[in-house]
């Protein structure tokens, strides 16, 4: 044991001064451990976590030891577990327990568009017919499919509408995206649609929240008046976070060229805005002889940029991505104010710690993972270039090489995360970003700031004109590359643990000091190998029984050309298949695998009433069977208990996986 202790001491001493960036990793392990549990942890588990934190804190304060990093690891792991559990208990709300049709009254808090392009409203202060407040969802989301008698009321207005509502659905397949968990942390207790006109009951009130929302949407309307068409919709999206006017075609083009990140008000926009404001204030003060020797110029510029970024946070709607970007900007500007290095792994780790403590559930989202993957990789690469004194060429070409390296590194760092979550990658994403991102930083964001500064003088049109030119170029780049043959590639969705192993290996490669960092490549190779060996289900059954997907040599065959579109799209994307539902349904009649799998799918009351099957068959029924059958049956009664089902045929053995097994019994799916 002595040699083991000595070895540990030698390793820890060798990492002294480089362990702080591991702090958010320890916190993430605790958060991930909570979400990986199949059932809610008992109270004694939280008590044990609190005991570990208290004991660890006592040891850290009373004793000095080289093993302090190991104690910190236990404390952070326990803290992450407790934060995630506490956030889940306090963050949820009532969830609708059945399908509801009737009047829905509520206040508009968000206006956006669904994947199909329909206008969508999120309401709070909800009132449902004959439902007590204790069982009424905190928030509901309704897509408007019918014609509206007039313009949609602004945010903050109280409205009344007749709608179909249902509880948030579970994963479309085992180990798929858990929308129930996502909705729980958004306090979203029901989703649905309406085909009836919206009625305005009361205009927006005078509360601070309503005032900010009303100002935001009015500002978005003002921007769209100054810049018409898709360019105006894009400008409103990046200035006010309002994407409701953007067409699905434009959004798809941006996604297919890896430019969709320009729409989300995230680190790029906040960084560009802070950089421009910081530079403008700094150089403006330098030009004044009376001020440049009397004020701490860099600190004053940092404070001014922080104030502007805070107002940008309020104006843009304060989405999770924007709040995360503001935290990162706050850390960077704070480093300037306190005369610390701005671009460092310690600054990135500090921002990650703040985000995870404030929103533990963000760890599971692609936004958090992609933001910090890109930022960590960029800091590490440019630190290596500086350490090894690698020149980026002649001075006049350095900005070009910097943009290329930034786009390449950020693209490579985020590609696995994007592929795992969205099952696709853009073949021309690097070229599109090289051509579009510089215009975003050099033209669009500065022009937007100038337009706002000229607004009180009535000269904002000058800034908006320049902004329109930059956005038009970005949209033309997206349109050009999106229309090229093979612009999109597709990949199979990996098992949930694969991405975690891959990211852990990458973090080891970046954060560890010494030659042992090369060991991080091993788990990365293992993860990529496991990803390549991913086995997709032979048969998929939706949680309603309305859709069945059977794997054939030509791809997955779907039992219906329309309906259950969200489920069908999820299955095909996870297969790494770019076809639409109608094309996949065309294979159903030719699916020889149906006979091989002994599968029958019945829809409609008449077919369900006359359902028959033989022993050894599999019967999927979009209804409820009231009699015993000699075959394996999946009807609505069983599917309500299991959720979506995946079937694997291994020789004569049938392996069944259910969504309920993968999600467990948690707060958000009870």
């Amino acid at each position: 044991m002595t040699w083991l202790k000595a070895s540990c001491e030698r390793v820890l001493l060798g990492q002294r001064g480089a362990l702080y960036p591991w702090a958010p990793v320890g916190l993430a392990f605790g958060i991930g451990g909570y979400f990986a549990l199949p059932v809610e942890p008992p109270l004694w588990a939280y008590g044990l976590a609190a005991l570990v934190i208290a004991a660890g804190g006592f040891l850290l304060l009373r004793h000095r030891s080289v093993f302090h990093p190991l104690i910190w690891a236990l404390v952070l792991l326990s803290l992450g577990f407790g934060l995630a559990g506490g956030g889940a208990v306090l963050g949820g709300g009532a969830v609708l327990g059945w399908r509801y049709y009737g009047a829905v009254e509520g206040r508009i808090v968000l206006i956006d568009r669904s994947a199909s392009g329909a206008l969508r409203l999120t309401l709070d202060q909800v009132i449902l017919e004959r439902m007590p407040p204790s069982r009424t969802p905190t928030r509901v989301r309704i897509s408007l499919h019918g014609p509206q008698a007039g313009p949609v009321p602004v945010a903050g207005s109280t409205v009344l509408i007749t709608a179909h509502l249902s509880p948030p659905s579970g994963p479309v397949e085992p180990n798929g995206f858990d929308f129930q968990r996502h909705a729980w942390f958004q306090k979203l207790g029901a989703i649905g649609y309406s085909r009836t006109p919206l009625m305005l009951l009361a205009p927006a009130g005078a509360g601070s929240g309503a005032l900010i929302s009303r100002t935001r949407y009015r500002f978005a309307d003002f921007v769209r008046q100054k810049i018409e068409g898709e360019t105006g919709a894009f400008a409103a999206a990046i200035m006010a976070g309002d994407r409701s006017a953007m067409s699905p075609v434009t959004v798809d083009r941006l996604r297919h060229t890896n430019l969709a990140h320009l729409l989300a008000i995230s680190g790029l926009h906040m960084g560009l805005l802070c950089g421009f404001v910081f530079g403008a204030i700094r150089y403006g003060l330098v030009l004044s002889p009376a001020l440049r020797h009397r004020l701490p110029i860099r600190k004053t510029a940092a404070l001014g940029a922080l104030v502007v970024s805070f107002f940008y946070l309020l104006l843009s709607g304060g989405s999770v991505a924007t709040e995360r970007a503001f935290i990162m900007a706050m850390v960077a500007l704070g480093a300037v104010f306190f005369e610390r290095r701005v671009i460092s792994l310690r600054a990135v780790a500090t921002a990650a710690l703040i985000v995870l403590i404030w929103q533990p559930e963000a760890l599971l989202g692609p936004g958090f993972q992609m933001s910090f993957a890109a930022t960590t990789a960029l800091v590490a690469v440019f630190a290596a270039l500086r350490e090894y004194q690698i020149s980026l060429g002649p001075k006049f070409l350095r900005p070009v090489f910097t943009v290329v390296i930034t786009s390449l590194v950020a693209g490579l760092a985020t590609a696995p995360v994007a592929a795992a979550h969205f099952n696709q990658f853009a073949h021309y994403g690097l070229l599109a970003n090289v051509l579009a991102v510089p215009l975003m930083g050099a033209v669009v964001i500065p022009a937007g700031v100038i337009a706002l500064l000229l607004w009180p003088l009535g000269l904002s049109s000058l800034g908006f004109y320049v902004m329109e030119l930059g956005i038009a170029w970005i949209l033309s780049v997206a349109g050009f590359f999106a229309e090229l043959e093979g612009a999109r590639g597709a990949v199979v969705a990996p098992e949930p643990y694969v991405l975690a192993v891959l990211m852990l290996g990458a973090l080891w490669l970046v954060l560890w000091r010494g030659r042992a960092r090369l060991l991080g490549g091993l788990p990365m190779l293992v993860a990529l190998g496991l990803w390549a060996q991913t086995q997709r289900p032979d048969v998929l059954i939706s949680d309603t029984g309305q859709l069945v997907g059977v794997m054939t040599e030509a791809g997955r065959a779907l039992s219906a050309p329309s309906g259950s579109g969200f489920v069908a799209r999820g299955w095909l994307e996870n297969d790494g298949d770019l076809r639409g539902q109608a094309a996949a349904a065309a294979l159903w009649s030719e699916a020889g695998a149906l006979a091989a799998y002994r599968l029958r799918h019945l829809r409609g009351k008449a077919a369900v009433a006359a359902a028959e099957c033989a022993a050894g068959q599999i019967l999927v029924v979009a209804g409820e069977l009231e009699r015993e059958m000699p075959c394996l049956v999946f009807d609505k009664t069983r599917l309500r208990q299991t959720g979506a089902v995946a079937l694997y045929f291994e020789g004569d053995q049938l392996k069944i996986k259910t969504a309920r097994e993968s999600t467990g019994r948690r707060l958000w799916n009870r």
Side-chain angles (χ1 to χ4, degrees):
M1 293 299 292
T2 304
W3 67 268
L4 180 60
K5 179 181 178 182
S7 299
C8 290
E9 288 180 348
R10 188 166 56 252
V11 170
L12 292 174
L13 286 172
Q15 300 301 313
R16 177 172 289 180
L19 290 175
Y20 178 74
W22 285 99
V25 179
L27 200 66
F29 265 99
I31 296 170
Y34 168 79
F35 285 110
L37 292 175
V39 295
E40 282 301 311
L43 286 177
W44 63 261
Y46 294 110
L48 179 61
L51 181 62
V52 171
I53 294 172
F58 176 81
L59 291 174
L60 291 170
L61 291 174
R62 295 296 299 271
H63 302 281
R64 296 186 63 84
S65 171
V66 71
F67 294 104
H68 271 188
L70 300 181
I71 300 174
W72 270 113
L74 290 175
V75 169
L76 288 168
L77 192 148
S78 302
L79 180 61
F81 181 86
L83 287 172
V89 172
L90 300 176
V95 178
L96 192 67
W98 58 88
R99 291 186 178 274
Y100 170 90
Y101 175 72
V104 181
E105 180 183 330
R107 184 183 65 173
I108 300 175
V109 294
L110 179 65
I111 305 172
D112 62 351
R113 289 192 180 273
S114 65
S116 63
L119 202 64
R120 192 166 62 183
L121 307 179
T122 301
L123 310 177
D124 69 354
Q125 300 181 3
V126 180
I127 300 175
L128 302 180
E129 278 189 294
R130 300 183 300 278
M131 188 172 295
S134 60
R135 302 184 67 182
T136 302
T138 305
R139 288 188 173 191
V140 302
R141 195 171 69 189
I142 302 173
S143 297
L144 306 181
H145 292 292
Q148 296 299 314
V152 175
V154 298
S157 304
T158 301
V159 297
L160 178 67
I161 193 170
T162 302
H164 298 262
L165 297 179
S166 60
S169 58
V172 298
E173 63 174 84
N175 294 328
F177 170 67
D178 192 349
F179 181 69
Q180 285 179 323
R181 181 183 62 206
H182 175 76
W184 176 265
F185 287 98
Q186 299 293 320
K187 297 185 181 296
L188 195 61
I191 58 174
Y193 66 93
S194 175
R195 302 187 185 279
T196 63
L198 195 69
M199 294 178 59
L200 176 63
L201 294 183
S208 60
L211 177 62
I212 293 172
S213 296
R214 189 164 65 250
T215 303
R216 173 193 174 201
Y217 286 107
R218 284 182 177 174
F219 177 66
D221 290 336
F222 171 76
V223 172
R224 287 191 288 263
Q225 290 173 5
K226 294 293 183 178
I227 307 176
E228 299 180 349
E230 285 299 307
T231 52
F234 187 102
I238 64 174
M239 295 187 74
D242 181 11
R243 303 190 197 179
S244 60
M246 293 205 66
S247 70
V249 174
T250 300
V251 175
D252 285 341
R253 286 176 175 174
L254 292 168
R255 287 173 179 166
H256 298 166
T257 53
N258 203 21
L259 292 175
H261 66 93
L262 298 181
L263 279 179
I265 300 179
S266 55
L268 174 66
H269 302 74
M270 195 68 75
L272 293 174
L273 176 68
C274 290
F276 177 77
V277 174
F278 178 84
I281 295 176
R282 183 181 181 185
Y283 289 111
L285 293 175
V286 168
L287 293 176
S288 172
L291 296 176
R292 63 187 175 199
H293 297 302
R294 298 180 181 178
L295 290 177
I297 292 179
R298 295 183 77 247
K299 294 182 179 181
T300 304
L303 185 61
L306 183 62
V307 172
V308 172
S309 63
F310 176 72
F311 280 105
Y312 188 38
L313 171 69
L314 296 179
L315 185 62
S316 62
S319 67
V320 174
T322 312
E323 291 170 344
R324 184 173 59 247
F326 174 73
I327 289 174
M328 296 180 70
M330 182 175 63
V331 170
L333 294 171
V336 174
F337 194 84
F338 292 104
E339 299 180 355
R340 296 292 187 269
R341 180 179 291 180
V342 177
I343 302 175
S344 68
L345 289 175
R346 298 177 69 88
V348 177
T350 301
L353 278 173
I354 295 173
V355 172
L356 290 176
I357 292 172
W358 177 51
Q359 286 184 327
E361 70 277 6
L363 174 70
L364 305 179
F368 175 88
Q369 296 170 12
M370 294 176 71
S371 293
F372 283 98
T375 307
T376 303
L378 287 170
V379 171
V381 168
F382 280 100
L385 293 176
R386 183 174 59 251
E387 180 181 354
Y388 294 105
Q389 298 181 353
I390 298 176
S391 175
L392 296 181
K395 189 173 182 179
F396 68 94
L397 286 179
R398 287 177 189 173
V400 177
F401 289 137
T402 300
V403 170
V404 172
I405 292 173
T406 300
S407 298
L408 179 62
V409 172
L412 290 175
T414 58
V417 182
H421 285 282
F422 308 119
N423 311 113
Q424 59 181 339
F425 57 91
H427 286 124
Y428 304 109
L430 175 60
L431 285 174
N433 274 272
V434 169
L435 293 173
V437 171
L439 265 292
M440 194 74 178
V443 177
V444 176
I445 296 297
V449 175
I450 292 172
L452 290 179
L453 294 176
L454 295 177
W455 187 5
L457 303 177
L459 300 174
S460 61
S461 297
L462 297 175
F464 283 128
Y465 175 74
V466 177
M467 190 179 190
E468 182 177 7
L469 295 177
I471 293 175
W473 169 260
I474 292 173
L475 294 181
S476 64
V477 168
F480 174 77
F481 285 110
E483 298 301 322
L484 293 179
E485 185 177 355
R488 272 196 305 163
V491 294
V492 175
E495 295 292 330
Y497 60 85
V498 171
L499 184 61
V501 174
L502 182 65
M503 298 303 290
L504 184 60
L507 285 170
W508 184 277
L509 192 64
V510 171
L511 300 182
W512 197 256
R513 180 185 292 174
R515 294 181 180 178
R517 69 166 55 187
L518 298 178
L519 294 175
L522 183 59
M524 294 177 69
L525 291 174
V526 171
L528 292 175
L530 293 173
W531 196 337
Q533 298 299 318
T534 301
Q535 180 187 3
R536 292 293 296 153
D538 296 304
V539 177
L540 285 167
I541 304 170
S542 70
D543 59 356
T544 61
Q546 292 288 344
L547 190 67
V548 175
V550 176
M551 186 62 76
T552 71
E553 292 183 358
R556 192 170 299 279
L558 300 181
S559 62
S562 61
S564 302
F566 179 77
V567 176
R569 186 167 57 252
W571 288 354
L572 294 174
E573 288 178 353
N574 290 339
D575 287 339
D577 193 338
L578 297 177
R579 295 176 303 156
Q581 182 176 357
L587 298 175
W588 183 258
S589 60
E590 305 170 6
L594 288 175
Y597 298 147
R598 308 179 300 280
L599 176 71
R600 296 186 63 199
H601 182 212
L602 302 180
R603 302 171 65 190
K605 292 183 179 180
V608 172
E612 296 292 343
C613 66
Q617 287 186 323
I618 301 171
L619 182 63
V620 181
V621 180
E624 296 185 5
L625 291 178
E626 298 179 354
R627 60 187 186 279
E628 294 291 331
M629 292 292 213
C631 59
L632 178 61
V633 175
F634 293 97
D635 65 347
K636 280 190 174 182
T637 302
R638 182 171 185 176
L639 291 172
R640 270 196 293 267
Q641 301 171 354
T642 64
V645 175
L647 305 180
Y648 298 83
F649 291 85
E650 301 174 355
D652 295 333
Q653 299 295 319
L654 173 62
K655 184 179 179 181
I656 302 175
K657 284 187 177 181
T658 67
R660 180 48 59 91
E661 291 173 351
S662 67
T663 59
R665 295 285 298 179
R666 306 307 302 268
L667 289 171
W668 43 86
N669 61 20
R670 287 177 179 174

